[in-house]
Amino acid sequence: MIEALISSKTRIKLLLKFFLNSNTTAYLRGLESEFGESTNAIRLELNNLEQAGMLVSELSGNKKIFRANTQHPLFREVNTILMKYLGLDQIIENVVKRLGEVEKVFLTGDFARGLDSAIIDLIFVGNIDQHYLLQLIEKVETLVKRRIRYIIYTPCEYAGLVKSQIGVEPLLLWSDLD
């Protein structure tokens, strides 16, 4: 769907990288190895996004480090479009709101790093009916055309976790405090 609006696959990858998780930073050579594309294609898109004000950069030694400009007027909208593109809005709408005692839902794995993937990794925190969750996940997988891998923690279990046990810094998708 998004490919019809944005013809550059490199630009889509960069938007996913920076706008899905606004804490993500990267530099040109790192993106080259991550994306498996030429530095010229990536540099062109980075420059376009920076000139549009959607990315900001700073020098760290001899590296130019890029990150999303969260102050850009379109930041929230781009983030929302990407969530819809990935189907995360469907997960929240069709799964979380029907499970009852969900406290938080986090995105982890490749998408938390800003990488596109066929698998969406989630962490659910709360007292959740696992059998019902499995049924809902199966339905949502057909809607979003991606596999969903998940872990369920009780609030006490999650509070005792160390970030290094999870791997990537989880990205909060939903909280009952919202």
Side-chain angles (χ1 to χ4, degrees), residues 24 67 84 92-93 99:
T24 300
R67 64 178 171 78
K84 288 181 183 206
I92 299 302
E93 190 173 310
L99 287 176

Side-chain angles (χ1 to χ4, degrees), residues 127-150:
N127 298 313
I128 297 166
D129 179 352
Q130 294 181 29
H131 297 292
Y132 188 53
L133 175 62
L134 183 59
Q135 292 173 5
L136 292 173
I137 290 286
E138 288 173 356
K139 290 178 185 175
V140 172
E141 283 178 335
T142 60
L143 284 174
V144 300
K145 295 177 179 56
R146 295 177 193 269
R147 300 289 296 161
I148 300 172
R149 187 168 43 194
Y150 62 90

Side-chain angles (χ1 to χ4, degrees), residues 43-100:
R43 182 183 295 115
L44 176 69
E45 293 299 340
L46 285 171
N47 289 339
N48 286 339
L49 291 170
E50 187 177 27
Q51 286 174 353
M54 299 188 81
L55 293 180
V56 293
S57 66
E58 59 187 44
L59 288 176
S60 175
N62 63 347
K63 294 178 184 172
K64 189 173 184 181
I65 308 291
F66 292 90
R67 64 178 171 78
N69 179 3
T70 57
Q71 302 305 310
H72 192 279
L74 295 177
F75 175 81
R76 232 354 94 215
E77 285 77 6
V78 171
N79 179 268
T80 301
I81 289 169
L82 292 173
M83 296 285 252
K84 288 181 183 206
Y85 167 68
L86 298 174
L88 296 175
D89 63 324
Q90 292 288 329
I91 293 169
I92 299 302
E93 190 173 310
N94 291 316
V95 175
V96 174
K97 293 184 178 176
R98 296 181 184 169
L99 287 176

